[in-house]
């Protein structure tokens, strides 16, 4: 129920239907609020900026995880190159077509994050870090 909501377990869904309910509720509430405030240019511009800024920040969790692990093991270099090329073309398009300022700024931010991830791929593959020691697990906890 809503009364026993604990933020520490927000993304730890016990059932898929709970996740679907959360997404549908979020979509319904934000859709209704957007409908109510559609005539406010400040609201619409803020919502648009938050949308492009959120997209621009999509690579940051990966960048941070790579930094924490001092490794990019398991990452596809082709995927990162495709991200970077797509974000670069998109940003150039925004600049050349004089899109609103927030599109160009967020596009550049996205390209910089992509380049930082590419630099991590290069650095961690050419200058591997000292492996982190892991504690031994009993045989009963090993994956099959």
């Amino acid at each position: 129920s809503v009364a026993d909501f604990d933020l520490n377990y927000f993304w730890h869904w016990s059932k898929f239907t709970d996740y679907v309910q959360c997404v549908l509720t979020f979509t319904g509430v934000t859709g209704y609020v957007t409908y109510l405030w559609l005539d406010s240019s400040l609201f619409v511009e803020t919502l648009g900026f938050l949308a492009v800024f959120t997209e621009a920040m999509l690579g940051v969790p990966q960048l941070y995880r790579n930094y924490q692990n001092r490794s990019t093991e398991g990452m596809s270099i082709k995927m990162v190159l495709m991200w970077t090329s797509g974000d670069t073309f998109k940003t150039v398009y925004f600049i050349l077509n004089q899109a609103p300022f927030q599109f160009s700024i967020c596009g550049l931010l996205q390209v910089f994050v992509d380049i930082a991830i590419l630099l991590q791929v290069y650095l961690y593959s050419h200058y591997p870090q000292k492996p982190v020691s892991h504690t031994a697990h009993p045989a009963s906890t090993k994956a099959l």
Side-chain angles (χ1 to χ4, degrees):
S1 84
V2 176
D4 65 351
F5 180 74
D6 185 358
L7 193 56
N8 293 326
Y9 297 99
F10 181 68
W11 288 113
H12 301 276
W13 306 104
S14 56
K15 295 181 283 189
F16 181 68
T17 55
D18 293 341
Y19 168 75
V20 172
Q21 285 176 335
C22 179
V23 170
L24 290 175
T25 301
F26 176 79
T27 303
V29 169
T30 55
Y32 184 68
V33 168
T34 301
Y35 174 75
L36 292 176
W37 288 82
L38 205 51
D39 293 332
S40 168
S41 63
L42 178 62
F43 176 80
V44 171
E45 290 298 320
T46 302
L47 186 63
F49 172 75
L50 289 174
V52 293
F53 182 73
T54 300
E55 182 188 4
M57 300 304 288
L58 286 176
V60 172
Q62 183 66 55
L63 181 72
Y64 182 67
R65 177 64 56 100
N66 294 345
Y67 172 76
Q68 281 182 318
N69 295 336
R70 303 285 194 262
S71 171
T72 55
E73 184 179 345
M75 281 193 65
S76 168
I77 187 69
K78 292 175 187 173
M79 177 194 68
V80 179
L81 288 170
M82 292 300 288
W83 272 354
T84 307
S85 62
D87 293 339
T88 302
F89 290 134
K90 178 175 61 177
T91 303
V92 168
Y93 175 81
F94 290 154
I95 293 169
L96 292 177
N97 287 298
Q98 298 175 345
F101 186 64
Q102 63 265 30
F103 285 88
S104 300
I105 292 300
C106 289
L108 287 171
L109 176 62
Q110 202 166 12
V111 170
F112 288 137
V113 169
D114 296 342
I115 290 171
I117 292 173
L118 284 172
L119 283 172
Q120 285 179 326
V121 169
Y122 173 78
L123 289 173
Y124 295 146
S125 64
H126 286 82
Y127 305 100
Q129 305 294 308
K130 190 175 187 179
V132 178
S133 62
H134 298 285
T135 58
H137 297 287
S140 63
T141 60
K142 288 185 180 177
L144 298 176

